Amino acid sequence: MARIKTISVTLCAVILTTFTFIATPLAVASEHARPAAVHKSSTAASAKVKKKSAPAKKTASKSTKSSTADKKKRTTVKKRTTTSSSTPVTARQRTASRTLSRTASVSASAACRKNRSAKQRAACLQTSAKGVTIADAHKIRVQKAQKTAMSKLMQQIGKPYRWGGNSPRTGFDCSGLVWYAYKDLVKFRIPRTANEMYHLRDASPVDRGALETGDLVFFRTQGRGTADHVGVYMGNGKFIQSPSSGQGIQVTSLSEDYWKRHYVGARRVMTSSTIR
């Protein structure tokens, strides 16, 4: 019996020792495994948080983009409204502008028909089609005619005076010089004497302070009739004339005492209705 007890005690001790030897490594392994599990669980949780936060950032960026787009749309709408409110155009105004443009084109074509030659009519219509007003077109035509007259007159400077002369070959008297310069530029017949030119119905009187290039200036030098001498105003207070026998065609100042004393008036023969 004593042996049996000793054997049983010994077996129990062996079993406990074996169990202790096996359990200790398991506990240590479990303790080492816990931090890894905790680390894995924490990384998984952080990954989930990142996944959730990423869409939030995208939605935030989308919301900012949409807000900026809305602001741009609002500003453009405001600009449109302000421009439309500042310059409102009604149907009546559109109709009135169309009517005015049609009337202007009709009047332009009617004015251009007054020109005699087909070339002049075509040039007039082309000028009005470019957006130039009728008044501007008339002014351009008059200026062109004035330049032509001045060019013809300046080419005769120095030519001798000749009573009754009206040609560069023979010379000119005062009225013959004017007749030569204007005979092909105006629609009416230019008279041959200074007094007839002064009383010409197609020529309108002009004040001395309103003289323009191409106006005729008249003088009474010998007391015969209303006017017995004529010249052509050139601008800047000067006129061109064929003065008298023994002198050539020259440019003279209106401010000279002699011509101031004998000055009787001026007439305008170059207008939009008189030039060809």
Side-chain angles (χ1 to χ4, degrees):
M1 287 299 290
R3 286 181 180 177
I4 293 169
K5 286 181 181 180
T6 302
I7 292 167
S8 62
V9 170
T10 302
L11 288 172
C12 288
V14 170
I15 292 168
L16 288 171
T17 303
T18 305
F19 180 77
T20 303
F21 179 77
I22 293 168
T24 302
L26 291 172
V28 173
S30 64
E31 286 178 0
H32 285 292
R34 279 180 189 173
V38 172
H39 179 69
K40 287 181 181 179
S41 63
S42 63
T43 52
S46 63
K48 288 181 180 179
V49 171
K50 286 181 180 178
K51 287 181 180 179
K52 290 181 180 179
S53 62
K57 288 182 181 179
K58 289 181 180 179
T59 53
S61 62
K62 286 182 181 179
S63 62
T64 53
K65 288 181 181 179
S66 61
S67 63
T68 53
D70 292 336
K71 285 181 181 178
K72 288 181 181 179
K73 287 181 181 180
R74 288 171 186 171
T75 53
T76 52
V77 169
K78 284 181 181 179
K79 287 180 181 178
R80 289 175 184 173
T81 54
T82 52
T83 53
S84 62
S85 62
S86 60
T87 56
V89 180
T90 61
R92 289 184 179 179
Q93 290 176 342
R94 292 193 189 96
T95 306
S97 63
R98 289 172 185 170
T99 305
L100 286 173
S101 62
R102 289 173 185 172
T103 305
S105 62
V106 170
S107 59
S109 60
C112 292
R113 288 194 199 99
K114 294 180 181 179
N115 296 319
R116 292 186 177 181
S117 65
K119 187 182 291 185
Q120 289 176 342
R121 284 196 300 272
C124 180
L125 289 170
Q126 186 177 4
T127 304
S128 60
K130 289 180 180 178
V132 180
T133 61
I134 299 173
D136 292 336
H138 288 327
K139 188 175 181 180
I140 292 169
R141 290 176 59 241
V142 172
Q143 289 175 349
K144 186 177 179 181
Q146 289 172 348
K147 288 180 180 179
T148 303
M150 290 300 107
S151 177
K152 292 176 71 175
L153 290 168
M154 293 300 291
Q155 289 174 7
Q156 310 311 317
I157 288 182
K159 297 284 179 70
Y161 174 89
R162 182 177 179 180
W163 188 84
N166 58 5
S167 169
R169 292 175 298 173
T170 58
F172 301 90
D173 61 8
C174 64
S175 57
L177 181 65
V178 175
W179 179 86
Y180 170 77
Y182 288 97
K183 64 184 179 69
D184 297 324
L185 297 177
V186 295
K187 298 176 182 178
F188 54 87
R189 185 185 67 84
I190 297 291
R192 190 56 191 83
T193 65
N195 196 49
E196 289 175 334
M197 290 180 186
Y198 184 77
H199 293 286
L200 185 63
R201 291 182 179 180
D202 295 306
S204 56
V206 182
D207 293 333
R208 184 165 182 170
L211 286 172
E212 293 181 0
T213 301
D215 290 341
L216 305 184
V217 287
F218 295 91
F219 308 89
R220 184 168 53 199
T221 59
Q222 299 177 3
R224 295 179 300 182
T226 307
D228 54 24
H229 186 65
V230 60
V232 181
Y233 186 72
M234 300 180 62
N236 298 322
K238 296 180 179 181
F239 69 101
I240 187 170
Q241 61 163 333
S242 181
S244 63
S245 180
Q247 299 185 42
I249 295 171
Q250 59 185 262
V251 177
T252 312
S253 176
L254 275 174
S255 61
E256 292 183 11
D257 291 337
Y258 178 83
W259 299 110
K260 283 172 68 176
R261 288 197 310 268
H262 294 88
Y263 180 84
V264 293
R267 297 290 185 269
R268 183 165 297 164
V269 295
M270 304 271 289
T271 63
S272 60
S273 59
T274 59
I275 60 173
R276 292 186 179 182

